[in-house]
């Protein structure tokens, strides 16, 4: 059974720091991995999608890497800003479907 | 991408009543899903909304409690029936625009925040 874990569970940093959020999954036979952002009480915003054949994806200050063999993905946030404060979730599809299994989330707070 | 509208965005309901949540997508999509996010928790899949047929429910979720409709490729509803305080959650609609499974991004609505008193 696929299990997805994220560490740390919470992170509080001053503005300007570079951050690394971690996502681990127990079954390496994934088709892709997606990172989402969730603001309090809101829905999810898709940040990055990495296909299983890719090693990394970049969007602005965000860079996500994928190492299938070790069952890990990292989300790197450069030069963090207070507007980055949110919960970050990673998710992988269940087998060959579009049903997602979500990680436990990392709650990020960036203070001025 | 896909733009997803959910209604209501939030509601406060009385125990024993039912509430229907609507999900409208701005384009035809292959797959639609309903998730639940309980307070302080991550997301759990309730069911896959199948167009023109009965929804496919995940373990722990049943049709009598969470009836789902999907009359066309752009619209779905989730009803939370006979509500109790344990049903207080954010309910989220998700869609996959891709015609091929597990190849594209999944998109989510803004969620419907339900509080049951």
């Amino acid at each position: 059974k696929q299990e997805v874990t994220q560490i740390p569970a919470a992170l509080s940093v001053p503005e300007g720091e570079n951050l690394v959020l971690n996502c681990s999954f127990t079954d390496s036979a994934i088709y892709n991995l997606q990172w989402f952002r969730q603001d309090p009480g809101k829905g999810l915003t898709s940040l990055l999608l990495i296909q299983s054949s890719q090693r990394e994806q970049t969007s602005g200050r965000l860079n996500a890497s994928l190492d299938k063999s070790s069952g890990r993905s990292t989300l790197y946030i450069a030069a963090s800003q207070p507007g980055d404060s949110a919960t970050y979730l990673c998710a992988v599809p269940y087998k060959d479907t579009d049903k997602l299994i979500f990680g436990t989330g990392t709650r990020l707070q960036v203070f001025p | 991408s896909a733009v997803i509208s959910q209604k209501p965005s939030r509601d406060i309901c009385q125990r024993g009543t039912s509430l229907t949540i609507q999900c409208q997508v701005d384009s035809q999509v292959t797959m639609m899903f309903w998730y639940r996010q309980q307070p302080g928790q991550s997301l759990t899949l309730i069911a896959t909304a199948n167009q023109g047929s009965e929804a496919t429910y995940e373990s722990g979720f049943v049709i009598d409690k969470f009836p789902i409709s999907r009359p066309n490729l752009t619209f779905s509803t989730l009803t939370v029936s006979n509500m109790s305080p344990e049903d207080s959650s954010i309910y989220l609609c998700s869609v996959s625009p891709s015609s091929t499974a597990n190849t594209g991004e999944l998109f989510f609505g803004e969620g419907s925040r339900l509080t049951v008193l």
Side-chain angles (χ1 to χ4, degrees):
Chain A
K1 177 187 172 185
Q2 178 73 275
E3 293 184 1
V4 184
T5 306
Q6 292 183 244
I7 55 173
L11 189 60
S12 182
V13 299
E15 181 176 10
E17 281 204 4
N18 299 322
L19 309 171
V20 175
L21 309 183
N22 297 289
C23 172
S24 300
F25 43 95
T26 54
D27 185 352
S28 62
I30 61 170
Y31 285 84
N32 58 56
L33 184 144
Q34 197 165 350
W35 282 94
F36 294 91
R37 167 187 171 135
Q38 184 177 32
D39 292 295
K42 299 292 187 179
L44 275 64
T45 300
S46 176
L47 296 174
L48 289 164
L49 170 73
I50 312 177
Q51 300 292 351
S52 61
S53 58
Q54 297 175 319
R55 298 281 295 181
E56 64 178 57
Q57 279 281 2
T58 299
S59 176
R61 294 183 294 108
L62 304 179
N63 176 277
S65 67
L66 175 64
D67 183 345
K68 275 185 58 177
S69 60
S70 65
R72 289 187 298 184
S73 176
T74 60
L75 179 67
Y76 178 82
I77 304 176
S80 60
Q81 303 171 357
D84 295 329
S85 299
T87 295
Y88 291 81
L89 295 158
C90 65
V92 297
Y94 173 71
K95 295 185 179 179
D96 62 347
T97 74
D98 281 323
K99 299 189 289 187
L100 292 180
I101 301 172
F102 279 86
T104 46
T106 293
R107 189 170 68 251
L108 173 65
Q109 182 181 10
V110 182
F111 54 89
Chain B
S1 66
V3 177
I4 305 165
S5 301
Q6 274 189 242
K7 292 181 181 179
S9 58
R10 58 174 61 214
D11 207 340
I12 300 174
C13 303
Q14 296 299 318
R15 182 195 301 258
T17 63
S18 298
L19 179 74
T20 296
I21 301 167
Q22 298 180 0
C23 176
Q24 178 73 56
V25 191
D26 68 340
S27 58
Q28 293 186 345
V29 292
T30 307
M31 305 296 291
M32 293 183 77
F33 305 92
W34 287 97
Y35 286 82
R36 180 177 72 180
Q37 186 177 33
Q38 295 177 300
Q41 304 294 315
S42 193
L43 281 76
T44 301
L45 181 63
I46 297 172
T48 302
N50 300 308
Q51 194 263 325
S53 64
E54 193 171 285
T56 305
Y57 290 84
E58 298 299 309
S59 176
F61 298 96
V62 296
I63 187 171
D64 289 347
K65 177 66 175 177
F66 298 101
I68 289 170
S69 77
R70 189 177 174 193
N72 56 53
L73 293 176
T74 64
F75 185 78
S76 178
T77 66
L78 168 74
T79 298
V80 185
S81 303
N82 188 25
M83 287 183 286
S84 67
E86 293 70 36
D87 295 319
S88 297
S89 297
I90 300 175
Y91 293 86
L92 297 113
C93 172
S94 172
V95 304
S96 170
S98 173
S99 59
T100 305
N102 58 65
T103 60
E105 286 181 87
L106 273 78
F107 298 93
F108 283 77
E110 282 293 303
S112 298
R113 188 170 202 162
L114 181 60
T115 301
V116 185
L117 304 178

